[in-house]
Amino acid sequence: MAGIAAGAGRRGGDVTEAEVAKVRRMLLGRLYGRAAPAEVVGQAAAVAAVEAVVRQTVESGEGNSVVVVGPRGSGKTAVVQQALAAAGSGGRHHVVRLSGFVHTSDGLALRDIARQLLAAQDAEGAGAAGTFAEALAYVLGVLRAADGGVAPVVFVLEEFDQLAQHPKQALLYTLFDMAQRAQTPVCVVGVTARVDVMDLLEKRVKSRFSHRLVHVHGAASLEAFTDIARTALHVDGDSQFARQFRQRVEEILSTPAVAAHIAAVYEIDKDARQLLQLFAAAVARLTAAEPLLCLEHVQRSIAHEAASGKMRVVGGISLLELSLVVAMHSLVRGGSSKYNFEMVYDEYKQFMSRHVIAAAGGGAMKIYKKPVALKAMEALVALEVVRPAGLSVAGPTAAAAGRNDLLAGTAAGARAPKEYRMVQLMLEPAQVLALMADRTDVPVVIRRWAQQ
């Protein structure tokens, strides 16, 4: 398996940059949920149920509504996209996509509805129409005039439960009410992770909803979960490139490290989005020179996902802040469980004075003055890499003021200078060494200092 990481990535036959770019766009669209997948693994019943509702509107002109419910990452959006793609051949129609996280008010939703229905030039007229229902009716009227007839409209409402937080639920009431009329065929497809979504709806909104609920569940087995990635990375065709691409995908999925990480994701939360993101970086790097997925890129994504949140935070700290971390690490090795800035700076200054450190670029690494180092220490405290030695250092007054404990006071309540307040490093020795290994800008002598 090790052989697939490097040179083997350059196979693929005679493939042009345009062909690779087309495959890259297609796969990234699937991985990021912008395009319908080739198949929604294990969700055939859910796709068929949503497709039937949409097809009734697209083909027969009936008003309908349905809400798709399921855990986050279970494939709800993919189910809706697949259903829309399958029902799309039934006739000419429009699709409007809204999100409760984006469209936080009815006004924002109305403007985006107008924009997506190609009636943005008449948005001012919609705004002057009066109520939200009148404004939306105006937009649909403009649409009918532009189409020269009545074209069905499918509204896809992501984060449906958030839209239910709007005042008087005017958006949902208007859409559900229009779905019961014969003027413009409207289909409303809600998507939510809340199983109690029906309890959020007002009585008047609930009375206009069809009460169709389609439940989506996570992958039933690890094999089905792996098939989600296999399907998303599938390239159709019988060309040499397509065959080799599918073979490379199989090789990567069967690699022990990749298979183990997929199993870990499945055991934790079965989140398909987290699974697919592992391959996004590798797909984004596809070129005509290297048209096949590279195992090394996938492994880097796995390593990034596996890293703790704490390590991600400290990954971008400055070299001075890193030096102070190593100084605290040195004090811990010397038996000091608690220390203050004066002790840390003294350790840092003594080490720097004993060594002449030349940076890779040829310049000397200087010893920073105490005020500069204190600012760096405060930055580490703000990142919560360093914390006060006692959790109740500042007491409730400082907590209420929103100030950091290190800068607020001491356990005894005295206003001691912050240079003398005792702190602790919140990184384990192994994490400090891992942090040094991940950085390429660290002088060799600093690395040795951390390893002593």
Side-chain angles (χ1 to χ4, degrees):
M1 288 299 174
I4 72 174
R10 295 178 175 83
R11 298 197 308 269
D14 296 328
V15 57
T16 65
E17 187 63 41
E19 292 173 324
V20 175
K22 181 180 178 180
V23 170
R24 186 171 59 240
R25 286 194 300 270
M26 176 187 68
L27 297 184
L28 287 177
R30 294 176 184 171
L31 295 177
Y32 286 116
R34 297 192 298 264
E39 176 189 357
V40 185
V41 179
Q43 306 293 352
V47 172
V50 178
E51 180 188 347
V53 174
V54 176
R55 194 175 290 277
Q56 287 175 354
T57 300
V58 174
E59 296 182 354
S60 305
E62 300 178 5
N64 283 294
S65 57
V66 61
V67 172
V68 182
V69 183
R72 295 197 180 278
S74 59
K76 300 184 298 297
T77 299
V79 165
V80 174
Q81 289 177 329
Q82 185 74 9
L84 290 176
S89 59
R92 185 166 180 266
H93 64 285
H94 302 275
V95 177
V96 175
R97 302 180 186 276
L98 302 177
S99 172
F101 285 156
V102 177
H103 305 95
T104 55
S105 69
D106 294 337
L108 288 174
L110 179 63
R111 284 194 291 271
D112 211 8
I113 290 172
R115 179 188 64 80
Q116 294 185 48
L117 292 177
L118 305 180
Q121 66 273 18
D122 295 282
E124 293 184 1
T131 66
F132 180 83
E134 293 171 344
L136 185 55
Y138 173 84
V139 172
L140 295 179
V142 172
L143 177 65
R144 287 195 298 271
D147 286 343
V150 179
V153 182
V154 180
F155 290 89
V156 179
L157 310 181
E158 296 281 352
E159 306 301 334
F160 181 83
D161 54 288
Q162 294 296 321
L163 294 173
Q165 308 301 321
H166 290 193
K168 299 182 181 179
Q169 299 182 0
L171 171 64
L172 299 182
Y173 173 80
T174 303
L175 292 179
F176 286 152
D177 188 56
M178 285 185 169
Q180 294 184 340
R181 299 180 184 178
Q183 294 179 349
T184 299
V186 170
C187 180
V188 183
V189 182
V191 181
T192 180
R194 292 194 57 166
V195 295
D196 62 341
V197 65
M198 294 300 298
D199 297 335
L200 302 178
L201 300 180
E202 295 180 354
K203 184 177 180 180
R204 64 175 190 145
V205 178
K206 192 181 301 184
S207 66
R208 285 161 174 78
F209 175 50
S210 67
H211 292 265
R212 291 190 184 95
L213 294 178
V214 176
H215 292 274
V216 176
H217 304 283
S221 65
L222 177 58
E223 182 180 357
F225 193 64
T226 306
D227 282 341
I228 295 175
R230 183 178 289 108
T231 303
L233 297 171
H234 180 78
V235 175
D236 292 321
D238 196 38
S239 64
Q240 181 183 2
F241 168 57
R243 292 196 304 271
Q244 290 186 355
F245 196 95
R246 292 193 293 267
Q247 180 182 357
R248 175 58 58 81
V249 170
E250 293 297 332
E251 291 173 348
I252 290 178
L253 292 178
S254 61
T255 302
V258 177
H261 187 78
I262 293 176
V265 174
Y266 175 76
E267 292 296 334
I268 293 174
D269 56 8
K270 299 180 176 62
D271 192 336
R273 297 171 301 180
Q274 184 178 350
L275 168 66
L276 298 181
Q277 286 175 2
L278 296 177
F279 305 94
V283 170
R285 289 179 170 87
L286 295 178
T287 63
E290 295 189 8
L292 305 182
L293 291 181
C294 180
L295 175 62
E296 181 182 354
H297 296 154
V298 177
Q299 289 176 326
R300 288 178 183 174
S301 297
I302 291 176
H304 178 74
E305 290 293 330
S308 66
K310 187 186 302 181
M311 293 300 293
R312 296 182 192 178
V313 168
V314 300
I317 62 177
S318 68
L319 192 56
L320 172 57
E321 293 165 352
L322 183 60
S323 298
L324 294 180
V325 168
V326 177
M328 287 181 274
H329 176 60
S330 179
L331 289 172
V332 172
R333 289 198 310 267
S336 300
S337 59
K338 296 183 292 185
Y339 29 82
N340 55 37
F341 170 75
E342 289 290 342
M343 298 168 62
V344 174
Y345 185 75
D346 186 60
E347 184 78 10
Y348 160 76
K349 188 175 181 180
Q350 286 183 16
F351 175 83
M352 297 292 287
S353 300
R354 291 196 305 265
H355 297 80
V356 178
I357 305 177
M365 183 175 176
K366 65 178 181 180
I367 301 177
Y368 288 90
K369 295 183 179 179
K370 185 178 294 186
V372 179
L374 180 57
K375 288 294 184 182
M377 188 73 164
E378 292 176 351
L380 293 175
V381 173
L383 292 174
E384 298 186 359
V385 178
V386 175
R387 71 162 191 175
L391 290 176
S392 60
V393 175
T397 303
R403 293 185 295 174
N404 191 288
D405 287 343
L406 179 65
L407 309 181
T410 64
R415 299 295 298 173
K418 52 189 173 185
E419 295 90 338
Y420 297 96
R421 297 171 192 165
M422 306 304 288
V423 296
Q424 289 177 309
L425 179 65
M426 301 306 295
L427 295 177
E428 299 293 334
Q431 292 177 313
V432 175
L433 297 179
L435 176 61
M436 303 295 290
D438 291 339
R439 297 282 293 262
T440 59
D441 59 338
V442 181
V444 175
V445 68
I446 296 291
R447 295 181 185 275
R448 293 175 179 171
W449 183 24
Q451 295 171 355
Q452 290 176 355

